[in-house]
């Protein structure tokens, strides 16, 4: 059996090696390493794939979030409603810009932001909502957009883990993750569903004015070379990464399907087991399974993880400490007990290997090993 990994980037690369190598060589031959044609081509291909008016490539998902908040003119003291059960980048940039993160609890089945909790958290100072489409599933955007509309709030989607996922609205229309709010952000970190071979990110919007600001900010605040209209940052996707992403974008739907098939396999094996709660799926979106995350009941998580490790099966805890209880946020007003669902999840979740190259032999071995431990 092939060695089991959380993410098998090497096997994925080998499947597309000739095309990837050729595209990388083309960039090297052109020496157009920064803002070369490969970046423009990928940007346009992604706009078409997402059916969004503007894609602004940038250096990583964290920058995408920061630049988005800068473009919307959010000011120190403004409150931004988001979740504590996420990767730190979502909230790090809120804090870095002097904005105030307001943490809300999540749904215990899907791990995503709870629209009811958003409504309860809104104050006079609230300016934006940042839903995170955690583990590859789009948060309940129809409800979120309705709340935002009612209270005149911006919505910035953290779609770093959910590129390619579709959301289906009640009227029968659908949109891609990151193209529903005013702005959407994604990451092309290597292990992401659309990952490059280094760092990368992108920002999406259908709003021309916001797009103009985003483009200026990622480029040192300049629209015309050496004329700086505002304080910006240096955040670029380089041409080699764009060329790689262009190849991988053409496989993205097939990759999502492979992830879903692996998730279905896990679901069939674990569904209904008293100690294992499978990840909940919304009827309104199609999960792209960046992670496959179980909630353990009455099970020693460390013992479970160690048992799997003894069988050469990696398993990871995303995320062991909610952000409101991290040292970095010790000066915030939050304390243990404030977000009971988030805190319970942080103590009981575990993610199994999930990627595009898992085969039936590996999936059989993983599910058999998981059941061996919980049935002891
Ligand atoms: C939910 C979420 N937000 C933001 C980021 C930041 O992306 P990056 O690592 O590209 O800066 C990540 C990924 O690492 C993420 O998973």
């Amino acid at each position: 059996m092939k060695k089991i990994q959380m993410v098998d980037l090497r096997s994925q690369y080998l499947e597309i090696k000739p095309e990837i190598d050729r595209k990388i060589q083309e960039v090297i031959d052109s020496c157009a390493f920064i803002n070369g044609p490969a970046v423009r081509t990928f940007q346009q291909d992604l706009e078409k794939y997402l059916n969004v008016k503007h894609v602004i490539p940038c250096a990583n998902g964290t920058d995408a979030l920061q630049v988005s908040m800068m473009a919307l003119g959010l000011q120190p003291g403004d409150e931004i409603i988001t979740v504590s059960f996420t990767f730190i980048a979502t909230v790090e940039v809120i804090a870095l810009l002097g904005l105030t993160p307001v943490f809300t609890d999540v749904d215990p089945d899907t791990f995503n932001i709870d629209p009811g909790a958003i409504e309860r958290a809104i104050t006079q100072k609230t300016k934006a909502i940042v839903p995170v489409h955690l583990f590859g599933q789009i948060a309940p955007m129809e409800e979120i957009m309705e709340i935002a509309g009612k209270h005149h709030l911006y919505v910035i989607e953290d779609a770093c883990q959910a590129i390619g996922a579709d959301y289906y609205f009640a009227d029968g229309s659908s949109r891609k993750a990151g193209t529903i709010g005013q702005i959407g952000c994604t990451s092309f970190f290597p292990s992401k569903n659309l990952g490059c071979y280094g760092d990368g990110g992108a920002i999406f919007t259908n709003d021309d004015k916001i797009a103009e600001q985003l483009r200026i900010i990622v480029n040192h605040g300049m629209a015309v070379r050496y004329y700086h209209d505002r304080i910006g940052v240096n955040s670029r996707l380089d041409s080699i990464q764009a060329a790689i992403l262009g190849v991988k974008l053409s496989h993205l739907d097939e990759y999502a399907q492979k992830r879903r098939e692996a998730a279905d396999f896990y679901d069939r094996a674990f569904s209904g087991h008293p100690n294992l709660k499978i990840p909940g799926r919304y009827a309104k979106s199609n999960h792209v399974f960046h992670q496959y995350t179980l909630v353990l009941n009455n099970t020693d998580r460390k013992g479970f993880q160690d048992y799997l490790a003894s069988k050469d099966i990696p398993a990871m805890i995303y995320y062991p400490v909610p952000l409101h209880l991290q040292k970095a946020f010790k000066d915030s007003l939050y304390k243990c007990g404030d977000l009971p669902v988030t805190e319970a999840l942080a103590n009981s979740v575990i993610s199994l290997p999930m990627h595009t190259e898992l085969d039936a032999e590996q999936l059989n071995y993983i599910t058999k090993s998981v059941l061996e431990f919980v049935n002891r």
Side-chain angles (χ1 to χ4, degrees):
M1 187 173 58
K2 223 170 32 168
K3 181 175 158 50
I4 297 173
Q5 299 177 65
M6 279 306 283
V7 184
D8 186 351
L9 294 177
R10 179 155 183 83
S11 299
Q12 192 190 57
Y13 163 61
L14 292 176
E15 291 283 322
I16 50 175
K17 185 175 184 314
E19 212 181 344
I20 291 276
D21 291 1
R22 183 167 55 78
K23 289 287 179 187
I24 292 175
Q25 192 59 51
E26 272 175 27
V27 175
I28 296 171
D29 289 342
S30 75
C31 289
F33 296 116
I34 301 290
N35 289 333
V39 179
R40 180 91 185 134
T41 304
F42 171 65
Q43 176 208 316
Q44 289 168 344
D45 288 350
L46 190 56
E47 284 168 351
K48 215 156 117 200
Y49 174 83
L50 295 172
N51 192 21
V52 72
K53 215 163 161 193
H54 304 279
V55 164
I56 293 91
C58 64
N60 54 64
T62 309
D63 277 6
L65 288 158
Q66 179 178 329
V67 169
S68 300
M69 290 175 202
M70 291 169 74
L72 293 176
L74 301 174
Q75 297 297 320
D78 288 349
E79 291 180 358
I80 314 299
I81 295 177
T82 189
V83 286
S84 174
F85 195 53
T86 177
F87 180 59
I88 189 157
T90 319
V91 181
E92 198 171 38
V93 297
I94 297 175
L96 273 173
L97 292 173
L99 312 170
T100 306
V102 174
F103 294 114
T104 54
D105 221 341
V106 294
D107 176 77
D109 299 326
T110 59
F111 318 120
N112 271 331
I113 197 163
D114 169 6
I118 296 178
E119 293 242 49
R120 291 191 291 279
I122 293 173
T123 72
Q124 294 288 341
K125 292 185 181 167
T126 309
K127 286 287 166 6
I129 305 167
V130 182
V132 179
H133 305 325
L134 203 72
F135 302 150
Q137 180 158 233
I138 302 180
M141 287 305 291
E142 189 144 23
E143 290 88 331
I144 292 168
M145 294 310 289
E146 221 172 275
I147 296 168
K150 201 162 80 188
H151 297 274
H152 309 290
L153 306 175
Y154 293 118
V155 175
I156 302 171
E157 295 174 68
D158 182 339
C160 288
Q161 300 187 1
I163 192 157
D166 298 288
Y167 188 89
Y168 305 102
F169 289 85
D171 66 3
S173 63
S174 74
R175 295 234 198 134
K176 289 280 185 196
T179 68
I180 305 165
Q182 280 74 30
I183 304 184
C185 299
T186 208
S187 162
F188 302 127
F189 186 79
S191 63
K192 292 288 192 272
N193 288 35
L194 179 59
C196 55
Y197 296 170
D199 271 311
I203 315 169
F204 321 138
T205 186
N206 282 305
D207 184 309
D208 296 341
K209 284 211 171 78
I210 294 175
E212 189 187 352
Q213 287 307 308
L214 292 167
R215 281 198 190 95
I216 288 174
I217 295 168
V218 296
N219 190 25
H220 295 291
M222 66 183 179
V224 177
R225 207 166 198 186
Y226 305 129
Y227 291 82
H228 304 275
D229 302 335
R230 58 177 296 168
I231 299 293
V233 295
N234 172 20
S235 189
R236 293 183 286 241
L237 179 69
D238 72 66
S239 304
I240 288 182
Q241 301 307 335
I244 292 163
L245 288 165
V247 175
K248 291 185 73 177
L249 178 61
S250 65
H251 296 278
L252 186 59
D253 287 343
E254 167 205 327
Y255 288 163
Q257 188 51 30
K258 285 186 175 170
R259 288 171 176 273
R260 255 181 238 121
E261 282 166 16
D264 291 346
F265 193 104
Y266 284 143
D267 274 4
R268 281 195 299 276
F270 306 142
S271 178
H273 195 286
N275 303 97
L276 303 171
K277 188 171 162 203
I278 62 172
R281 302 195 199 188
Y282 297 114
K284 282 177 147 185
S285 65
N286 61 356
H287 206 313
V288 291
F289 286 99
H290 176 57
Q291 300 296 343
Y292 183 90
T293 302
L294 290 168
V295 180
L296 300 178
N297 294 320
N298 295 321
T299 302
D300 161 22
R301 183 169 64 176
K302 178 80 175 69
F304 178 70
Q305 194 177 22
D306 289 348
Y307 181 75
L308 293 181
S310 75
K311 305 220 132 208
D312 291 324
I313 302 170
M316 297 287 287
I317 294 160
Y318 305 117
Y319 298 91
V321 181
L323 297 183
H324 70 288
L325 302 180
Q326 294 279 356
K327 266 194 217 154
F329 292 104
K330 67 180 180 331
D331 296 334
S332 73
L333 299 173
Y334 295 88
K335 56 185 185 324
C336 192
D338 285 347
L339 301 173
V341 178
T342 295
E343 291 165 26
L345 287 173
N347 288 324
S348 57
V349 287
I350 191 151
S351 299
L352 298 180
M354 172 50 74
H355 53 81
T356 57
E357 312 303 315
L358 282 165
D359 61 32
E361 189 184 16
Q362 292 175 312
L363 286 165
N364 264 316
Y365 178 73
I366 297 167
T367 50
K368 196 172 112 271
S369 305
V370 166
L371 292 170
E372 255 164 35
F373 184 85
V374 290
N375 288 338
R376 290 204 289 200

